[in-house]
Amino acid sequence: MRRIYFTLLILAVSSSLIMSCSAGGGLLQGNFTGAANQPLKLVHYGQNNMPTDVASTTIGANGDWKFDVKELKPGFYRLEVGKEDQNVIPRLYTVFNGKEKSIKITGNVADFPKSGVNIEGSDASTEFLSVIKPLAEGSNPDREVIIKQVVGAKDVLVSMALSNILFRGMPDFLDSYKIIGERLHKEYPDSDYDKTYKEMIAQISQAAQVQDAKEKIKVGMEAPEISLPDPTGKNIKLSSLRGKVVLVDFWASWCGPCRRANPHVVSLYNKYKDKGFTVYSISLDGVDERTKARISDNKALDAKMAEEKKKWLDAVAADQLAWPNHVSELKKWDTSTAQEWGVDAIPRTFLIGKDGKIAAINAQGGSLEAEIQKLL
C-alpha cells in the first residue's frame, strides 16, 4: 500500500511520456569530463514509455563528443555514458521540444545523478533542469511550490515530464494532471502522446474513485473522537477543539512530503489562528509492534522509543509548528487513530468545521485555504 505521497525518485523515472511527432532538430554536442574514450548513447522515451536508441558515439580523449543528429522528436530523453555491462551507468535525463537548432551539453558525468550539467540551446531542457536539479541536490521546497512549477511550466512537454517523475500517477494530483492534459491536447491535438496522457488520466481517475470508495471517513460525517497523548503524556481530545475550524494532520518526521507540506500549513495557521482556526497534528513517528518484538532488551527498546520521540519533537521545532495540539502514540503505522480513520498514506489531512463535521479531505493549496475561509 502507498504510504508516502510525494516521492522524489529522480533516477527511478516512472514516465508515461509519449513523443512521436517529428520536428526540425540540429547538431547535438558537448564535453563530458570524467568519461574519456567512453561510449555515449542518446535514448528517447516514446509511446508507452518505450526507450529507443537515437544515436551513439564515443567520447574523445579530451571529453568532446557530438551526435550528428539531424532531427529530434519532441519528448523525454536520457544520455548514457559507458557500456551496458557496467555496474553503474551514469544517466542524464532531460527534455527536448524538437525546435532546437543546436544543443551543447557540458559537465562532469559524476554530476549526472544531480542533473549537474549545463545545457545551451534548449529552453525546454533549461526549464526542466531548473526544477529537477534543486530537488536532486536535496532542497525541500513547499509542496505547493512544486505543483506550481510543474503545472505552470512554459513548455507543456516539461510539465508532462515533471508530472510523471514527481506526481507518479497518484490520485491526489488528479487536478494537476487534468490541467496538463488540456494543455497537451491544445498544443498537440490527436497526437500519440496526447492520447496516452488521456488514457493515463482516465486510469488515475478510476484509481481516485476506488480510493474514495475505500475511505472510512466521508465528507459530511461527524468526525470520530480522537484522544491521544501529547509529548508530556497528557491526552488531548479532538472534541476539546469543538467550535473551531480544525485541520487534522497525519504526518511524521521521516516523511519528506509531509515536511514539504508543513510550511503551507504553518502559513495558514499563522494567518487564521486568531479567527478560530487551529491544527491537530498526529505524528506517525515511533516504533511499530513488529519492530518492538525484535528488540528483546527493555533498555534498548526504551532508548529506541526515546530516539524516535526526539525525532518527532525536533521536527516540530525545526518546521516551526507553533500550534499546541501535537499528539502521538509513537507506534508508527500501528497508531490506532490512523487505522480507525483509514490512513494508509501521508500526508493526510481532514478539515473539520465548527460543528465537528468533516468538511474536506486532503484539500491542498488554494483549495484548502478557500475551505478554511468558508468555514470561518
Side-chain angles (χ1 to χ4, degrees):
M1 300 179 77
R2 290 182 300 104
R3 288 186 169 175
I4 302 179
Y5 275 128
F6 197 67
T7 311
L8 300 178
L9 300 180
I10 302 303
L11 297 180
V13 178
S14 173
S15 163
S16 298
L17 307 175
I18 313 306
M19 311 299 163
S20 58
C21 294
S22 61
L27 188 67
L28 181 60
Q29 62 182 337
N31 180 280
F32 290 151
T33 56
N37 304 314
Q38 290 290 309
L40 176 65
K41 183 166 63 175
L42 179 67
V43 180
H44 173 254
Y45 286 90
Q47 189 169 2
N48 296 324
N49 195 32
M50 292 298 293
T52 302
D53 293 354
V54 176
S56 61
T57 187
T58 300
I59 299 173
N62 63 351
D64 287 341
W65 58 269
K66 69 176 180 179
F67 294 126
D68 192 11
V69 180
K70 297 180 180 180
E71 183 180 73
L72 280 175
K73 295 179 180 180
F76 190 64
Y77 287 83
R78 78 169 185 254
L79 285 160
E80 292 186 357
V81 176
K83 300 178 181 179
E84 292 185 359
D85 59 357
Q86 291 180 197
N87 291 330
V88 178
I89 299 178
R91 292 184 172 94
L92 174 71
Y93 296 94
T94 191
V95 177
F96 300 131
N97 61 20
K99 300 176 183 179
E100 295 88 354
K101 301 300 180 183
S102 179
I103 306 170
K104 185 176 182 180
I105 307 177
T106 57
N108 193 313
V109 294
D111 295 328
F112 277 15
K114 294 186 177 181
S115 300
V117 300
N118 181 58
I119 299 182
E120 301 175 13
S122 174
D123 292 339
S125 295
T126 299
E127 187 173 27
F128 176 78
L129 292 181
S130 71
V131 178
I132 289 296
K133 185 177 178 181
L135 299 176
E137 291 176 340
S139 71
N140 194 29
D142 183 85
R143 172 191 176 101
E144 298 306 316
V145 171
I146 293 295
I147 292 176
K148 288 179 180 178
Q149 288 178 320
V150 173
V151 175
K154 293 180 181 179
D155 196 310
V156 68
L157 299 180
V158 174
S159 290
M160 183 169 61
L162 291 172
S163 70
N164 283 280
I165 295 172
L166 303 179
F167 296 166
R168 302 179 67 79
M170 296 174 188
D172 291 67
F173 299 97
L174 180 58
D175 290 343
S176 297
Y177 276 115
K178 287 181 177 179
I179 294 172
I180 296 169
E182 290 174 359
R183 290 182 61 196
L184 273 173
H185 182 66
K186 182 178 180 180
E187 298 181 33
Y188 296 89
D190 303 319
S191 62
D192 287 338
Y193 49 94
D194 171 43
K195 176 183 177 181
T196 302
Y197 206 79
K198 285 180 181 177
E199 293 173 352
M200 182 182 68
I201 291 175
Q203 292 173 355
I204 296 172
S205 297
Q206 185 176 14
Q209 292 174 3
V210 172
Q211 179 173 298
D212 290 341
K214 293 166 59 178
E215 295 289 354
K216 294 184 178 181
I217 306 299
K218 307 284 187 181
V219 171
M221 70 179 286
E222 189 89 10
E225 178 67 287
I226 301 174
S227 181
L228 294 175
D230 68 8
T232 68
K234 177 184 177 182
N235 276 29
I236 300 178
K237 290 186 176 182
L238 178 61
S239 59
S240 69
L241 303 177
R242 180 68 67 92
K244 292 187 176 183
V245 174
V246 183
L247 183 70
V248 176
D249 185 9
F250 288 84
W251 75 296
S253 67
W254 45 262
C255 169
C258 303
R259 304 293 295 274
R260 284 187 287 275
N262 277 344
H264 184 63
V265 178
V266 170
S267 175
L268 292 175
Y269 175 72
N270 290 333
K271 188 174 182 179
Y272 297 107
K273 63 181 180 179
D274 294 332
K275 299 179 181 180
F277 171 70
T278 192
V279 183
Y280 187 94
S281 291
I282 303 173
S283 167
L284 300 190
D285 284 280
V287 182
D288 58 30
E289 295 301 328
R290 186 175 180 179
T291 303
K292 287 180 181 179
R294 294 200 302 263
I295 304 176
S296 57
D297 183 76
N298 289 334
K299 289 185 178 180
L301 179 58
D302 289 343
K304 179 65 174 175
M305 293 295 293
E307 177 186 353
E308 295 302 315
K309 181 176 181 179
K310 184 177 186 301
K311 290 178 181 177
W312 165 36
L313 299 181
D314 285 350
V316 170
D319 293 359
Q320 300 180 27
L321 311 184
W323 48 90
N325 312 303
H326 290 281
V327 297
S328 180
E329 287 185 294
L330 292 174
K331 292 183 178 181
K332 215 166 186 177
W333 289 104
D334 290 329
T335 297
S336 59
T337 302
Q339 298 174 358
E340 292 165 3
W341 284 54
V343 175
D344 64 0
I346 54 177
R348 192 73 172 162
T349 63
F350 300 85
L351 187 63
I352 303 173
K354 296 179 181 180
D355 58 358
K357 293 183 178 181
I358 304 295
I361 299 174
N362 238 36
Q364 302 162 7
S367 62
L368 174 57
E369 182 165 13
E371 289 290 343
I372 292 172
Q373 291 174 338
K374 182 170 65 175
L375 293 171
L376 289 175

